[in-house]
Amino acid sequence: MASASSSAPTSSHRRIPTNNLLSQPLHRTKLSGILPLNLNNVRKPVRSLRAVLSQPQPAAKVVAQPPGTDFSHCFSRKDDGFLYCEDVKVANVIGGAERTPFYLYSKRQITRNVEAYKDALEGLEGSVIGYAIKANNNLKILEHLRGLGCGAVLVSGNELRLAIKAGFDPTRCIFNGNGKLLEDLVLAAEAGVFVNVDSEFDLENIIAAARIAGKKVNVLLRINPDVDSQVHPYVATGNKNSKFGIRNEKLLWFLDAVKSHPNELKLVGAHCHLGSTITKVDIFRDAAVLMVGYIDVIREQGFEVDYLNIGGGLGIDYYHAGAILPTPRDLIDTVRELVLSHKLKLIIEPGRSLIANTCCFVNRVTGVKTNGTKNFIVIDGSMAELIRPSLYGAYQHIELVSPPPSEAEISTFDVVGPVCESADFLGKDRELPTPPKGAGLVVHDAGAYCMSMASTYNLKMRPPEYWVDEDGLVAKIRHAETFEDHLRFFEGL
């Protein structure tokens, strides 16, 4: 897949000791024959389904969390006052990095997070951990997740292409989205991935894609359960006002539509997704209770469905305030008995909870200023590289990399970047020691929805990425983009 940085050598993923980091930059189907569809022969929408719950559901089985599978933080401040990633001093990484800002990951923390999900799913045969590529699409990270046994959740054709490039098993991949393009659906049909049906027009496009590819598509119905996930409205996806999913009262209409196209579609399950940053696992159970009721209806209509996909959305401790948040085992235990009692295979779609706490965004302080009523720490990173605080008003913990000077006064600051927008902030009203010019400063829990949402606004080129590997060595896993990369888009025009 070509990119502006496609000239970068593929051999750059080499390991280097932390005391010898590189200080110099590294060089670096036309569709036709679509048949008109006739879905008029299916039954009209029913106004309501029968009650999906007739018997009280068994309580979730609680299993002790195995040692070593918690989400303990890989970034810690040690006795010398410096911040470390695993056992590597972040200040040393800054000294040898290609440039700041950059993203720094712990490869071991990624492994620990995946193992926590795998341990939680023990006893649920055939389950799939489908990593949500939209959270972080770094190829080296995807290859590592694939090697740990994850499947992939895709929301675009390019994410599907990247998953294939990373070596994911297509039969363990799920294609989501409320506006999937026909050419992307053809690619999905050819690859053999699961596809979620999101609407009437989406169903028509999936049928057309199956005909073009000459392959039957395994589909799940994405049902909107109308469950309040109690999160920011921008990341709520399972309520009645969401753009995602089919209305539950149209379930029988969709079942008839699928029956009408046996050569193109095989219905294998049902899917829901509630939102993101969810910290109450009972919400997942509420949705799962509804979903197994819908699966009962689907089975009564003659379909042999095996999969329940409960989506993702488990939250993390962004505040670093010692909150006790649900673990993957807490999440899985809320639905375990429902899955077992209905003889289903579980699909989950974690993104944030697999990758967010494995990474921090590392910056240098450009300077400190005041306007008389507000104090500012100005850094070289910005909303262009990390937009969550500006976009959602999201909180991410911020701290200095090195011990502050003994005379440094603690004050309340807004931490801001150089982008020409008042919305360009990484944190507001943070109590921090006044940092000297050039000091290192990190924004924590930056592994998810940060680099993947980065832009080149103000022509701030996307930053490099590094990780600390299992041997305690630092390796670059993405080159920094350059001004020359930008100019390549205009060559020959």
Side-chain angles (χ1 to χ4, degrees), residues 145-164:
L145 290 167
R146 180 261 303 157
L148 293 171
C150 290
V153 175
L154 325 159
V155 292
S156 72
N158 281 341
E159 286 191 354
L160 174 52
R161 292 179 179 93
L162 190 62
I164 293 171

Side-chain angles (χ1 to χ4, degrees), residues 249-320:
E249 64 265 25
K250 290 203 70 175
L251 176 58
L252 294 180
W253 184 92
F254 277 93
L255 295 179
D256 282 348
V258 172
K259 281 182 183 178
S260 300
H261 297 87
N263 296 324
E264 294 87 5
L265 306 174
K266 180 181 180 182
L267 182 60
V268 298
H271 170 265
C272 71
H273 195 291
L274 305 179
S276 194
T277 70
I278 298 170
T279 57
K280 298 178 181 178
V281 292
D282 285 350
I283 294 171
F284 288 98
R285 177 174 172 78
D286 292 344
V289 168
L290 292 170
M291 293 303 296
V292 296
Y294 297 137
I295 286 175
D296 287 343
V297 173
I298 293 169
R299 285 173 168 172
E300 287 171 1
Q301 295 297 311
F303 293 95
E304 296 179 1
V305 294
D306 297 321
Y307 289 96
L308 169 62
N309 185 338
I310 61 169
L314 190 64
I316 67 163
D317 181 16
Y318 278 112
Y319 284 87
H320 290 207

Side-chain angles (χ1 to χ4, degrees), residues 330-348:
D330 294 329
L331 167 59
I332 300 305
D333 282 347
T334 63
V335 302
R336 184 182 304 276
E337 293 302 327
L338 286 168
V339 172
L340 291 172
S341 64
H342 285 73
K343 296 181 172 57
L344 291 165
K345 298 174 184 177
L346 185 66
I347 299 174
I348 54 172

Side-chain angles (χ1 to χ4, degrees), residues 85-164:
C85 177
E86 303 293 352
D87 295 319
V88 174
K89 192 180 290 187
V90 176
N92 289 349
V93 184
I94 294 176
E98 181 177 354
R99 71 179 189 221
T100 57
F102 61 86
Y103 284 93
L104 178 64
Y105 301 81
S106 162
K107 188 177 183 182
R108 279 185 281 177
Q109 185 67 46
I110 298 172
T111 301
R112 288 192 290 263
N113 290 352
V114 173
E115 290 301 323
Y117 271 102
K118 290 170 73 173
D119 290 342
L121 287 166
E122 186 176 359
L124 297 179
E125 298 300 325
S127 298
V128 176
I129 302 172
Y131 168 69
I133 289 181
K134 65 178 181 173
N136 187 306
N137 55 31
N138 183 288
L139 178 60
K140 298 301 179 183
I141 291 173
L142 295 182
E143 290 173 343
H144 182 52
L145 290 167
R146 180 261 303 157
L148 293 171
C150 290
V153 175
L154 325 159
V155 292
S156 72
N158 281 341
E159 286 191 354
L160 174 52
R161 292 179 179 93
L162 190 62
I164 293 171

Side-chain angles (χ1 to χ4, degrees), residues 189-425:
E190 291 171 343
V193 307
F194 291 123
V195 178
N196 280 323
V197 178
D198 191 87
S199 66
E200 293 88 342
F201 73 78
D202 194 37
L203 178 65
E204 291 186 0
N205 283 338
I206 295 168
I207 294 168
R211 291 173 177 171
I212 294 167
K215 289 189 175 182
K216 184 180 294 190
V217 179
N218 290 323
V219 297
L220 295 87
L221 294 178
R222 178 168 181 170
I223 301 172
N224 187 327
D226 193 16
V227 171
D228 180 8
S229 54
Q230 301 176 35
V231 297
H232 191 287
Y234 286 7
V235 293
T237 58
N239 58 50
K240 64 182 179 181
N241 295 319
S242 172
K243 70 176 184 177
F244 298 102
I246 67 174
R247 302 197 310 274
N248 53 39
E249 64 265 25
K250 290 203 70 175
L251 176 58
L252 294 180
W253 184 92
F254 277 93
L255 295 179
D256 282 348
V258 172
K259 281 182 183 178
S260 300
H261 297 87
N263 296 324
E264 294 87 5
L265 306 174
K266 180 181 180 182
L267 182 60
V268 298
H271 170 265
C272 71
H273 195 291
L274 305 179
S276 194
T277 70
I278 298 170
T279 57
K280 298 178 181 178
V281 292
D282 285 350
I283 294 171
F284 288 98
R285 177 174 172 78
D286 292 344
V289 168
L290 292 170
M291 293 303 296
V292 296
Y294 297 137
I295 286 175
D296 287 343
V297 173
I298 293 169
R299 285 173 168 172
E300 287 171 1
Q301 295 297 311
F303 293 95
E304 296 179 1
V305 294
D306 297 321
Y307 289 96
L308 169 62
N309 185 338
I310 61 169
L314 190 64
I316 67 163
D317 181 16
Y318 278 112
Y319 284 87
H320 290 207
I324 300 175
L325 295 180
T327 65
R329 183 167 291 276
D330 294 329
L331 167 59
I332 300 305
D333 282 347
T334 63
V335 302
R336 184 182 304 276
E337 293 302 327
L338 286 168
V339 172
L340 291 172
S341 64
H342 285 73
K343 296 181 172 57
L344 291 165
K345 298 174 184 177
L346 185 66
I347 299 174
I348 54 172
E349 301 180 347
R352 184 188 317 275
S353 57
L354 278 184
I355 198 69
N357 72 345
T358 71
C359 174
C360 67
F361 180 51
V362 185
N363 310 264
R364 282 191 188 272
V365 173
T366 304
V368 177
K369 64 176 289 186
T370 181
N371 64 7
T373 58
K374 176 78 75 171
N375 301 318
F376 300 92
I377 297 173
V378 183
I379 60 175
D380 51 6
S382 72
M383 66 183 291
E385 296 92 356
L386 196 160
I387 199 173
R388 291 187 70 253
S390 298
L391 181 62
Y392 301 131
Y395 180 98
Q396 291 180 234
H397 187 62
I398 294 174
E399 63 179 315
L400 300 179
V401 165
S402 304
S406 57
E407 71 277 8
E409 181 181 350
I410 295 178
S411 297
T412 301
F413 296 95
D414 283 5
V415 179
V416 301
V419 162
C420 194
E421 294 280 352
S422 294
D424 179 26
F425 63 90

